Amino acid sequence: MVVKVIIKRKIQEGRTREVFALLNRMRSDAMNQNGYVSGETLINYDDPQEILVISMWQGMENWLKWKENPERKANEVQLERLLEGPTEFKACVLGTYPRFKK
């Protein structure tokens, strides 16, 4: 099952360069993880401090393994210091009808 993960963040004013340096490092590290397919970063046109990172993974287990990776978590701690609030995570499955159980 393919999973798309949507990560929403609100950057503190004046911290964009630092945030994107960390995001680039995290994306580079994610690319070496099992099950990583792709990723993109979107900036809200009406509010450039709000960004979405959307990544695609082969299976929820691969995403969860990466989410719990100590190196990723260390980068996330640094990133949180540059944000206006907590990071929001949503994992979504591709398709028109979910074929999984919670």
Side-chain angles (χ1 to χ4, degrees):
M1 159 179 30
V2 175
V3 175
K4 280 203 176 189
V5 178
I6 302 165
I7 304 170
K8 181 179 170 184
R9 296 182 173 99
K10 179 86 171 187
I11 304 170
Q12 292 175 11
E13 191 75 36
R15 301 319 271 287
T16 304
R17 187 177 302 263
E18 295 165 274
V19 167
F20 275 90
L22 281 167
L23 290 177
N24 287 338
R25 182 182 320 154
M26 292 169 82
R27 166 91 35 82
S28 177
D29 292 343
M31 291 171 73
N32 294 315
Q33 303 305 307
N34 286 333
Y36 178 85
V37 176
S38 67
E40 60 186 330
T41 302
L42 305 173
I43 301 168
N44 183 333
Y45 182 82
D46 294 318
D47 180 3
Q49 299 310 117
E50 182 182 282
I51 57 172
L52 296 177
V53 172
I54 303 172
S55 60
M56 187 182 303
W57 295 83
Q58 293 279 344
M60 184 62 106
E61 64 281 352
N62 288 317
W63 155 245
L64 292 174
K65 186 175 179 183
W66 171 238
K67 186 178 181 193
E68 296 304 316
N69 178 291
E71 189 174 328
R72 194 207 69 78
K73 287 175 101 173
N75 284 326
E76 187 72 40
V77 168
Q78 290 181 38
L79 194 54
E80 291 285 336
R81 295 181 189 140
L82 307 172
L83 303 178
E84 287 187 8
T87 300
E88 297 176 29
F89 296 91
K90 290 182 186 178
C92 304
V93 226
L94 294 176
T96 57
Y97 182 78
R99 289 173 173 51
F100 59 94
K101 295 180 183 180
K102 278 192 157 191

